[in-house]
């Protein structure tokens, strides 16, 4: 049996989006894709750069924006 996921309307991540690790480390997703954070785990949350409320809730809005 094959399961297909409907991704209609799903937003592709942009390199300016922010990767945030559980320890509070953050980086632009483009830097993660380039391998600059290869030593970090892959359990980061991707936060769209335009999601100011989420960035503020994580305490990194002032640093990122």
């Amino acid at each position: 049996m094959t399961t297909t996921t409907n991704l209609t309307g799903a937003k592709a991540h942009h390199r300016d989006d922010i990767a945030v690790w559980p320890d509070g480390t953050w980086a632009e997703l483009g830097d993660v894709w380039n391998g600059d954070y290869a030593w970090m785990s892959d359990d980061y949350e991707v936060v769209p750069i335009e999601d100011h409320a989420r960035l503020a809730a994580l305490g990194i809005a002032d640093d990122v924006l």
Side-chain angles (χ1 to χ4, degrees):
M1 179 173 151
T2 302
T3 303
T4 304
T5 302
N6 181 359
L7 297 178
T8 303
K11 178 190 177 293
H13 296 298
H14 188 271
R15 52 185 316 99
D16 291 336
D17 290 341
I18 305 299
V20 184
W21 283 267
D23 69 355
T25 302
W26 65 270
E28 291 183 357
L29 196 53
D31 292 336
V32 176
W33 290 343
N34 289 338
D36 296 345
Y37 289 82
W39 52 274
M40 295 288 288
S41 66
D42 62 355
D43 67 338
Y44 53 83
E45 172 186 355
V46 177
V47 181
I49 191 67
E50 60 273 351
D51 190 349
H52 299 245
R54 181 65 182 141
L55 294 170
L58 291 167
I60 60 172
D62 291 340
D63 297 329
V64 172
L65 303 175

